[in-house]
């Protein structure tokens, strides 16, 4: 028998200094997030067998068709967390309003924002999916309403991460002390530390973007992508294009191997597509902790002042060199 593996729970308990507040509570919360990941992974594995593919017929707050699996994943988050005693407010891509859990008050000092199933166009085609989460602390003294309490800058997150459902299920998180990745061992149902203290390369050779939107982008973004594709071996070009349609999976590749993911604003839609509070902010915190950058093109994502729960934001994330280069193209366009 080999050495006892470093499980997620053991990792959190053995590194109390690296975790916000009482390590017991934080580890309990991460264990619940891990459980949610296992339950969603189990549903995804069997989705094609138990008639839970396809759409529900409803439209969500974003105006997008709701997939059955979106709804199931959202219910999984809510059902697990409402009985946890650890979280007092939940905000989700699939819920127009935040869900206040008075039964968890006063003991539940955390709040969770999440995209329960990221990359939902991948559900019916057996491609990667993710769940993205952002953890905040509820500040009773601030005396705010539930919704206002959730609408906070990215710098105020106490932890963030994602569960990625790919060829294996991985949970990657940061609580402000490095980024750590755990792979679910399906034999024993435990997350085991597989990627400790992930550091992103300063520079990569991959870009991820939905290039079908090229004609809708502003000229700065077009020039940036043209530059990455230039036939210029001396400058390390062209970059390879890799886009799965699942933000968590695309950012995961870039977190490990470097490069840049972007979902820019468009000419008639400068705010872009992705959501600030439960997509951009958590991934920005992770990438920032791993030595990378995340930007709107002109402002660091973590410094964007949020105004509403489902706010969208143009998004550029990855290795420092590529994000700085992207910002340079955006600046040049602004100068005219
Ligand atoms: P989806 O709407 O399919 O859930 O969350 C938004 C997101 O997926 C990201 O995961 C993904 O990167 C992007 O949108 C895909 O959008 P496009 O289909 O426009 O490329």
């Amino acid at each position: 028998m080999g050495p006892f593996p470093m499980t997620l729970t053991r990792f959190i308990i053995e590194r109390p200094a690296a975790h916000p507040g009482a390590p017991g509570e934080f580890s309990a919360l991460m264990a619940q997030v891990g459980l949610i990941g296992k339950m969603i992974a189990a549903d995804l594995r069997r989705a094609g067998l138990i008639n839970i593919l396809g759409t529900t017929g409803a439209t969500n707050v974003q105006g997008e068709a709701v997939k059955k699996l979106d709804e199931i994943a959202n219910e999984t988050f809510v059902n697990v967390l409402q009985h946890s005693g650890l979280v007092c407010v939940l905000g989700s891509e699939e819920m127009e309003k935040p869900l206040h859990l008075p039964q968890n008050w006063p003991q539940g000092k955390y709040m969770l924002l999440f995209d329960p199933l990221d990359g939902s166009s991948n559900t019916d085609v057996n491609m990667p999916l993710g769940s993205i989460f952002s953890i905040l602390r509820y500040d009773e003294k601030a005396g705010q309403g539930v919704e206002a309490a959730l609408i906070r800058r990215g710098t105020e997150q106490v932890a963030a991460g994602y569960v990625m459902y790919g060829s294996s299920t991985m949970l990657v998180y940061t609580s402000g002390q490095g980024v750590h990745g755990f792979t679910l061992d399906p034999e024993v149902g435990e997350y085991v530390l597989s990627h400790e203290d992930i550091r992103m390369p300063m520079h990569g050779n991959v870009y991820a973007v939905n290039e079908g939107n090229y004609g809708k982008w502003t000229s700065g973004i077009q020039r940036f992508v043209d530059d990455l594709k230039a036939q210029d071996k001396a400058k390390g070009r062209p970059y390879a294009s890799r886009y799965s349609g699942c933000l968590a999976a695309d950012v995961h590749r870039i977190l490990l191997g470097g490069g840049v993911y972007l979902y820019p604003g468009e000419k008639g839609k400068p705010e872009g597509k992705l959501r600030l509070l439960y997509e951009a902010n958590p991934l920005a915190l992770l990438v920032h902790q791993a030595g990378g950058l995340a930007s709107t093109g002109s402002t660091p994502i973590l410094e964007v002042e949020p105004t509403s729960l489902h706010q969208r934001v143009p998004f550029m994330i990855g290795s420092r060199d590529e994000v700085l280069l992207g910002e340079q193209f955006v600046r040049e366009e602004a100068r005219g």
Side-chain angles (χ1 to χ4, degrees), residues 64 70 93 115 117-122 132 210 213 243 245-248 250 261 263 273-275 279:
E64 301 155 345
D70 280 325
E93 177 182 5
D115 176 357
L117 202 61
D118 163 61
S120 10
S121 73
N122 286 356
I132 307 176
N210 181 344
N213 292 331
Y243 187 74
C246 169
L247 172 66
D250 287 324
Y261 170 100
Y263 210 111
K273 176 180 185 189
L274 301 182
R275 276 52 61 119
E279 292 183 316

PDB file of all heavy atoms in Angstrom, residues 64 70 93 115 117-122 132 210 213 243 245-248 250 261 263 273-275 279, ligand 1:
ATOM      1  N   GLU A  64     -31.775  32.517 -22.058  1.00  0.00           N
ATOM      2  CA  GLU A  64     -31.265  31.324 -22.730  1.00  0.00           C
ATOM      3  C   GLU A  64     -32.158  30.129 -22.404  1.00  0.00           C
ATOM      4  O   GLU A  64     -32.720  30.044 -21.300  1.00  0.00           O
ATOM      5  CB  GLU A  64     -29.832  31.012 -22.250  1.00  0.00           C
ATOM      6  CG  GLU A  64     -28.856  32.138 -22.510  1.00  0.00           C
ATOM      7  CD  GLU A  64     -27.653  32.127 -21.566  1.00  0.00           C
ATOM      8  OE1 GLU A  64     -27.689  31.431 -20.539  1.00  0.00           O
ATOM      9  OE2 GLU A  64     -26.699  32.848 -21.859  1.00  0.00           O
ATOM     10  N   ASP A  70     -29.105  21.869 -16.594  1.00  0.00           N
ATOM     11  CA  ASP A  70     -28.887  23.154 -15.900  1.00  0.00           C
ATOM     12  C   ASP A  70     -29.733  23.167 -14.636  1.00  0.00           C
ATOM     13  O   ASP A  70     -29.292  23.562 -13.554  1.00  0.00           O
ATOM     14  CB  ASP A  70     -29.377  24.334 -16.761  1.00  0.00           C
ATOM     15  CG  ASP A  70     -28.412  24.744 -17.854  1.00  0.00           C
ATOM     16  OD1 ASP A  70     -27.203  24.674 -17.642  1.00  0.00           O
ATOM     17  OD2 ASP A  70     -28.891  25.144 -18.938  1.00  0.00           O
ATOM     18  N   GLU A  93     -26.668  31.606 -11.638  1.00  0.00           N
ATOM     19  CA  GLU A  93     -27.024  31.978 -13.002  1.00  0.00           C
ATOM     20  C   GLU A  93     -28.462  31.578 -13.301  1.00  0.00           C
ATOM     21  O   GLU A  93     -29.146  32.227 -14.085  1.00  0.00           O
ATOM     22  CB  GLU A  93     -26.082  31.288 -14.000  1.00  0.00           C
ATOM     23  CG  GLU A  93     -26.472  31.602 -15.429  1.00  0.00           C
ATOM     24  CD  GLU A  93     -25.623  30.918 -16.491  1.00  0.00           C
ATOM     25  OE1 GLU A  93     -24.756  30.104 -16.150  1.00  0.00           O
ATOM     26  OE2 GLU A  93     -25.857  31.210 -17.667  1.00  0.00           O
ATOM     27  N   ASP A 115     -22.265  29.330 -11.061  1.00  0.00           N
ATOM     28  CA  ASP A 115     -22.831  28.945 -12.346  1.00  0.00           C
ATOM     29  C   ASP A 115     -22.894  27.424 -12.260  1.00  0.00           C
ATOM     30  O   ASP A 115     -21.870  26.744 -12.321  1.00  0.00           O
ATOM     31  CB  ASP A 115     -21.894  29.395 -13.487  1.00  0.00           C
ATOM     32  CG  ASP A 115     -22.398  28.932 -14.849  1.00  0.00           C
ATOM     33  OD1 ASP A 115     -23.425  28.237 -14.897  1.00  0.00           O
ATOM     34  OD2 ASP A 115     -21.753  29.255 -15.862  1.00  0.00           O
ATOM     35  N   LEU A 117     -23.952  24.914 -14.099  1.00  0.00           N
ATOM     36  CA  LEU A 117     -23.485  24.065 -15.207  1.00  0.00           C
ATOM     37  C   LEU A 117     -23.009  24.972 -16.327  1.00  0.00           C
ATOM     38  O   LEU A 117     -23.811  25.511 -17.097  1.00  0.00           O
ATOM     39  CB  LEU A 117     -24.601  23.134 -15.679  1.00  0.00           C
ATOM     40  CG  LEU A 117     -24.071  21.904 -16.419  1.00  0.00           C
ATOM     41  CD1 LEU A 117     -23.173  21.065 -15.521  1.00  0.00           C
ATOM     42  CD2 LEU A 117     -25.220  21.047 -16.910  1.00  0.00           C
ATOM     43  N   ASP A 118     -21.713  25.126 -16.360  1.00  0.00           N
ATOM     44  CA  ASP A 118     -21.096  26.044 -17.311  1.00  0.00           C
ATOM     45  C   ASP A 118     -20.758  25.296 -18.602  1.00  0.00           C
ATOM     46  O   ASP A 118     -20.192  24.200 -18.551  1.00  0.00           O
ATOM     47  CB  ASP A 118     -19.830  26.591 -16.639  1.00  0.00           C
ATOM     48  CG  ASP A 118     -18.888  27.223 -17.619  1.00  0.00           C
ATOM     49  OD1 ASP A 118     -19.297  28.200 -18.256  1.00  0.00           O
ATOM     50  OD2 ASP A 118     -17.765  26.728 -17.767  1.00  0.00           O
ATOM     51  N   GLY A 119     -21.135  25.893 -19.723  1.00  0.00           N
ATOM     52  CA  GLY A 119     -20.865  25.254 -21.024  1.00  0.00           C
ATOM     53  C   GLY A 119     -22.012  24.364 -21.429  1.00  0.00           C
ATOM     54  O   GLY A 119     -21.814  23.301 -22.022  1.00  0.00           O
ATOM     55  N   SER A 120     -23.245  24.820 -21.124  1.00  0.00           N
ATOM     56  CA  SER A 120     -24.383  23.894 -21.281  1.00  0.00           C
ATOM     57  C   SER A 120     -24.611  23.417 -22.709  1.00  0.00           C
ATOM     58  O   SER A 120     -25.263  22.399 -22.907  1.00  0.00           O
ATOM     59  CB  SER A 120     -25.682  24.441 -20.701  1.00  0.00           C
ATOM     60  OG  SER A 120     -25.594  25.747 -20.342  1.00  0.00           O
ATOM     61  N   SER A 121     -24.026  24.120 -23.703  1.00  0.00           N
ATOM     62  CA  SER A 121     -24.210  23.601 -25.066  1.00  0.00           C
ATOM     63  C   SER A 121     -23.476  22.264 -25.224  1.00  0.00           C
ATOM     64  O   SER A 121     -23.696  21.536 -26.184  1.00  0.00           O
ATOM     65  CB  SER A 121     -23.708  24.611 -26.105  1.00  0.00           C
ATOM     66  OG  SER A 121     -22.309  24.657 -26.116  1.00  0.00           O
ATOM     67  N   ASN A 122     -22.615  21.941 -24.270  1.00  0.00           N
ATOM     68  CA  ASN A 122     -21.864  20.680 -24.350  1.00  0.00           C
ATOM     69  C   ASN A 122     -22.619  19.485 -23.766  1.00  0.00           C
ATOM     70  O   ASN A 122     -22.161  18.346 -23.904  1.00  0.00           O
ATOM     71  CB  ASN A 122     -20.521  20.813 -23.601  1.00  0.00           C
ATOM     72  CG  ASN A 122     -19.516  21.650 -24.376  1.00  0.00           C
ATOM     73  OD1 ASN A 122     -19.796  22.072 -25.490  1.00  0.00           O
ATOM     74  ND2 ASN A 122     -18.353  21.890 -23.810  1.00  0.00           N
ATOM     75  N   ILE A 132     -18.900  26.610 -11.630  1.00  0.00           N
ATOM     76  CA  ILE A 132     -17.975  27.642 -11.142  1.00  0.00           C
ATOM     77  C   ILE A 132     -18.561  28.229  -9.859  1.00  0.00           C
ATOM     78  O   ILE A 132     -19.774  28.484  -9.799  1.00  0.00           O
ATOM     79  CB  ILE A 132     -17.783  28.754 -12.203  1.00  0.00           C
ATOM     80  CG1 ILE A 132     -17.364  28.130 -13.549  1.00  0.00           C
ATOM     81  CG2 ILE A 132     -16.748  29.776 -11.760  1.00  0.00           C
ATOM     82  CD1 ILE A 132     -17.237  29.149 -14.687  1.00  0.00           C
ATOM     83  N   ASN A 210     -14.435  32.187 -29.312  1.00  0.00           N
ATOM     84  CA  ASN A 210     -15.417  31.789 -30.329  1.00  0.00           C
ATOM     85  C   ASN A 210     -15.200  32.686 -31.547  1.00  0.00           C
ATOM     86  O   ASN A 210     -15.722  33.799 -31.635  1.00  0.00           O
ATOM     87  CB  ASN A 210     -16.837  31.953 -29.792  1.00  0.00           C
ATOM     88  CG  ASN A 210     -17.868  31.526 -30.822  1.00  0.00           C
ATOM     89  OD1 ASN A 210     -17.547  31.388 -32.014  1.00  0.00           O
ATOM     90  ND2 ASN A 210     -19.090  31.319 -30.381  1.00  0.00           N
ATOM     91  N   ASN A 213     -17.469  34.808 -34.006  1.00  0.00           N
ATOM     92  CA  ASN A 213     -17.942  36.168 -33.699  1.00  0.00           C
ATOM     93  C   ASN A 213     -16.995  37.253 -34.218  1.00  0.00           C
ATOM     94  O   ASN A 213     -17.213  38.439 -33.939  1.00  0.00           O
ATOM     95  CB  ASN A 213     -18.098  36.335 -32.179  1.00  0.00           C
ATOM     96  CG  ASN A 213     -19.228  35.489 -31.632  1.00  0.00           C
ATOM     97  OD1 ASN A 213     -20.208  35.216 -32.341  1.00  0.00           O
ATOM     98  ND2 ASN A 213     -19.116  35.052 -30.388  1.00  0.00           N
ATOM     99  N   TYR A 243     -10.823  25.749 -28.414  1.00  0.00           N
ATOM    100  CA  TYR A 243     -12.048  26.306 -27.809  1.00  0.00           C
ATOM    101  C   TYR A 243     -13.058  25.185 -27.660  1.00  0.00           C
ATOM    102  O   TYR A 243     -13.488  24.606 -28.661  1.00  0.00           O
ATOM    103  CB  TYR A 243     -12.606  27.421 -28.697  1.00  0.00           C
ATOM    104  CG  TYR A 243     -13.773  28.179 -28.091  1.00  0.00           C
ATOM    105  CD1 TYR A 243     -13.564  29.100 -27.065  1.00  0.00           C
ATOM    106  CD2 TYR A 243     -15.072  27.987 -28.552  1.00  0.00           C
ATOM    107  CE1 TYR A 243     -14.620  29.809 -26.513  1.00  0.00           C
ATOM    108  CE2 TYR A 243     -16.137  28.700 -28.006  1.00  0.00           C
ATOM    109  CZ  TYR A 243     -15.914  29.610 -26.988  1.00  0.00           C
ATOM    110  OH  TYR A 243     -16.957  30.300 -26.450  1.00  0.00           O
ATOM    111  N   GLY A 245     -16.014  25.553 -25.793  1.00  0.00           N
ATOM    112  CA  GLY A 245     -17.378  26.031 -25.517  1.00  0.00           C
ATOM    113  C   GLY A 245     -17.742  25.889 -24.051  1.00  0.00           C
ATOM    114  O   GLY A 245     -18.867  26.166 -23.659  1.00  0.00           O
ATOM    115  N   CYS A 246     -16.789  25.460 -23.222  1.00  0.00           N
ATOM    116  CA  CYS A 246     -17.001  25.424 -21.766  1.00  0.00           C
ATOM    117  C   CYS A 246     -15.901  26.276 -21.144  1.00  0.00           C
ATOM    118  O   CYS A 246     -14.715  25.926 -21.202  1.00  0.00           O
ATOM    119  CB  CYS A 246     -16.930  23.981 -21.254  1.00  0.00           C
ATOM    120  SG  CYS A 246     -16.870  23.901 -19.453  1.00  0.00           S
ATOM    121  N   LEU A 247     -16.317  27.392 -20.570  1.00  0.00           N
ATOM    122  CA  LEU A 247     -15.371  28.353 -20.008  1.00  0.00           C
ATOM    123  C   LEU A 247     -14.423  27.700 -18.997  1.00  0.00           C
ATOM    124  O   LEU A 247     -13.207  27.911 -19.050  1.00  0.00           O
ATOM    125  CB  LEU A 247     -16.200  29.475 -19.356  1.00  0.00           C
ATOM    126  CG  LEU A 247     -15.474  30.512 -18.532  1.00  0.00           C
ATOM    127  CD1 LEU A 247     -14.561  31.342 -19.406  1.00  0.00           C
ATOM    128  CD2 LEU A 247     -16.494  31.419 -17.829  1.00  0.00           C
ATOM    129  N   ALA A 248     -14.975  26.909 -18.080  1.00  0.00           N
ATOM    130  CA  ALA A 248     -14.129  26.305 -17.040  1.00  0.00           C
ATOM    131  C   ALA A 248     -13.071  25.412 -17.678  1.00  0.00           C
ATOM    132  O   ALA A 248     -11.902  25.421 -17.278  1.00  0.00           O
ATOM    133  CB  ALA A 248     -14.981  25.516 -16.048  1.00  0.00           C
ATOM    134  N   ASP A 250     -11.896  25.552 -20.813  1.00  0.00           N
ATOM    135  CA  ASP A 250     -10.938  26.339 -21.594  1.00  0.00           C
ATOM    136  C   ASP A 250      -9.958  27.072 -20.674  1.00  0.00           C
ATOM    137  O   ASP A 250      -8.766  27.143 -20.959  1.00  0.00           O
ATOM    138  CB  ASP A 250     -11.680  27.328 -22.504  1.00  0.00           C
ATOM    139  CG  ASP A 250     -12.354  26.613 -23.678  1.00  0.00           C
ATOM    140  OD1 ASP A 250     -11.773  25.639 -24.194  1.00  0.00           O
ATOM    141  OD2 ASP A 250     -13.474  27.003 -24.064  1.00  0.00           O
ATOM    142  N   TYR A 261      -7.670  33.136 -22.919  1.00  0.00           N
ATOM    143  CA  TYR A 261      -9.076  32.896 -23.269  1.00  0.00           C
ATOM    144  C   TYR A 261      -9.725  34.264 -23.364  1.00  0.00           C
ATOM    145  O   TYR A 261      -9.479  35.130 -22.521  1.00  0.00           O
ATOM    146  CB  TYR A 261      -9.775  32.088 -22.158  1.00  0.00           C
ATOM    147  CG  TYR A 261     -11.286  32.007 -22.343  1.00  0.00           C
ATOM    148  CD1 TYR A 261     -11.877  30.879 -22.894  1.00  0.00           C
ATOM    149  CD2 TYR A 261     -12.117  33.084 -21.975  1.00  0.00           C
ATOM    150  CE1 TYR A 261     -13.261  30.813 -23.089  1.00  0.00           C
ATOM    151  CE2 TYR A 261     -13.484  33.024 -22.175  1.00  0.00           C
ATOM    152  CZ  TYR A 261     -14.052  31.888 -22.725  1.00  0.00           C
ATOM    153  OH  TYR A 261     -15.417  31.835 -22.918  1.00  0.00           O
ATOM    154  N   TYR A 263     -13.608  36.309 -24.175  1.00  0.00           N
ATOM    155  CA  TYR A 263     -14.970  36.484 -24.655  1.00  0.00           C
ATOM    156  C   TYR A 263     -15.205  37.982 -24.620  1.00  0.00           C
ATOM    157  O   TYR A 263     -15.642  38.551 -23.632  1.00  0.00           O
ATOM    158  CB  TYR A 263     -16.008  35.729 -23.814  1.00  0.00           C
ATOM    159  CG  TYR A 263     -17.180  35.337 -24.720  1.00  0.00           C
ATOM    160  CD1 TYR A 263     -17.425  34.012 -25.045  1.00  0.00           C
ATOM    161  CD2 TYR A 263     -17.975  36.314 -25.294  1.00  0.00           C
ATOM    162  CE1 TYR A 263     -18.440  33.667 -25.929  1.00  0.00           C
ATOM    163  CE2 TYR A 263     -18.992  35.980 -26.168  1.00  0.00           C
ATOM    164  CZ  TYR A 263     -19.208  34.658 -26.484  1.00  0.00           C
ATOM    165  OH  TYR A 263     -20.211  34.339 -27.365  1.00  0.00           O
ATOM    166  N   LYS A 273     -20.677  38.589 -23.048  1.00  0.00           N
ATOM    167  CA  LYS A 273     -21.629  37.536 -22.687  1.00  0.00           C
ATOM    168  C   LYS A 273     -21.474  37.030 -21.249  1.00  0.00           C
ATOM    169  O   LYS A 273     -22.451  36.674 -20.603  1.00  0.00           O
ATOM    170  CB  LYS A 273     -21.427  36.353 -23.637  1.00  0.00           C
ATOM    171  CG  LYS A 273     -22.287  35.176 -23.283  1.00  0.00           C
ATOM    172  CD  LYS A 273     -22.103  33.995 -24.205  1.00  0.00           C
ATOM    173  CE  LYS A 273     -23.106  32.911 -23.819  1.00  0.00           C
ATOM    174  NZ  LYS A 273     -22.881  31.651 -24.513  1.00  0.00           N
ATOM    175  N   LEU A 274     -20.259  36.975 -20.782  1.00  0.00           N
ATOM    176  CA  LEU A 274     -20.032  36.264 -19.521  1.00  0.00           C
ATOM    177  C   LEU A 274     -20.422  37.103 -18.313  1.00  0.00           C
ATOM    178  O   LEU A 274     -20.420  38.329 -18.366  1.00  0.00           O
ATOM    179  CB  LEU A 274     -18.571  35.818 -19.433  1.00  0.00           C
ATOM    180  CG  LEU A 274     -18.131  34.889 -20.569  1.00  0.00           C
ATOM    181  CD1 LEU A 274     -16.689  34.447 -20.377  1.00  0.00           C
ATOM    182  CD2 LEU A 274     -19.053  33.673 -20.682  1.00  0.00           C
ATOM    183  N   ARG A 275     -20.767  36.421 -17.247  1.00  0.00           N
ATOM    184  CA  ARG A 275     -21.274  37.079 -16.062  1.00  0.00           C
ATOM    185  C   ARG A 275     -20.130  37.378 -15.081  1.00  0.00           C
ATOM    186  O   ARG A 275     -19.270  36.531 -14.851  1.00  0.00           O
ATOM    187  CB  ARG A 275     -22.326  36.202 -15.366  1.00  0.00           C
ATOM    188  CG  ARG A 275     -23.718  36.328 -15.926  1.00  0.00           C
ATOM    189  CD  ARG A 275     -23.882  36.156 -17.402  1.00  0.00           C
ATOM    190  NE  ARG A 275     -23.488  34.862 -17.915  1.00  0.00           N
ATOM    191  CZ  ARG A 275     -24.271  33.998 -18.534  1.00  0.00           C
ATOM    192  NH1 ARG A 275     -25.532  34.285 -18.730  1.00  0.00           N
ATOM    193  NH2 ARG A 275     -23.793  32.859 -18.992  1.00  0.00           N
ATOM    194  N   GLU A 279     -18.860  34.019 -12.956  1.00  0.00           N
ATOM    195  CA  GLU A 279     -17.977  33.422 -13.965  1.00  0.00           C
ATOM    196  C   GLU A 279     -16.628  34.153 -13.958  1.00  0.00           C
ATOM    197  O   GLU A 279     -15.597  33.556 -13.675  1.00  0.00           O
ATOM    198  CB  GLU A 279     -18.622  33.473 -15.357  1.00  0.00           C
ATOM    199  CG  GLU A 279     -19.848  32.559 -15.451  1.00  0.00           C
ATOM    200  CD  GLU A 279     -20.490  32.511 -16.837  1.00  0.00           C
ATOM    201  OE1 GLU A 279     -20.659  33.574 -17.478  1.00  0.00           O
ATOM    202  OE2 GLU A 279     -20.874  31.416 -17.270  1.00  0.00           O
TER     203      GLU A 279
HETATM  204  P1  LIG B   1     -22.901  28.395 -22.046  1.00  0.00           P
HETATM  205  O1  LIG B   1     -23.625  29.658 -22.396  1.00  0.00           O
HETATM  206  O2  LIG B   1     -23.000  27.326 -23.098  1.00  0.00           O
HETATM  207  O3  LIG B   1     -23.219  27.881 -20.665  1.00  0.00           O
HETATM  208  O4  LIG B   1     -21.378  30.283 -19.419  1.00  0.00           O
HETATM  209  C1  LIG B   1     -21.299  30.829 -20.652  1.00  0.00           C
HETATM  210  C2  LIG B   1     -20.699  29.917 -21.704  1.00  0.00           C
HETATM  211  O5  LIG B   1     -21.359  28.719 -21.975  1.00  0.00           O
HETATM  212  C3  LIG B   1     -19.220  29.546 -21.418  1.00  0.00           C
HETATM  213  O6  LIG B   1     -19.049  28.380 -20.676  1.00  0.00           O
HETATM  214  C4  LIG B   1     -18.652  29.371 -22.800  1.00  0.00           C
HETATM  215  O7  LIG B   1     -17.268  29.623 -22.856  1.00  0.00           O
HETATM  216  C5  LIG B   1     -19.445  30.350 -23.591  1.00  0.00           C
HETATM  217  O8  LIG B   1     -20.633  30.667 -22.879  1.00  0.00           O
HETATM  218  C6  LIG B   1     -19.845  29.761 -24.898  1.00  0.00           C
HETATM  219  O9  LIG B   1     -20.475  30.747 -25.640  1.00  0.00           O
HETATM  220  P2  LIG B   1     -20.541  30.656 -27.232  1.00  0.00           P
HETATM  221  O10 LIG B   1     -21.446  29.503 -27.530  1.00  0.00           O
HETATM  222  O11 LIG B   1     -21.081  31.965 -27.627  1.00  0.00           O
HETATM  223  O12 LIG B   1     -19.135  30.422 -27.693  1.00  0.00           O
END
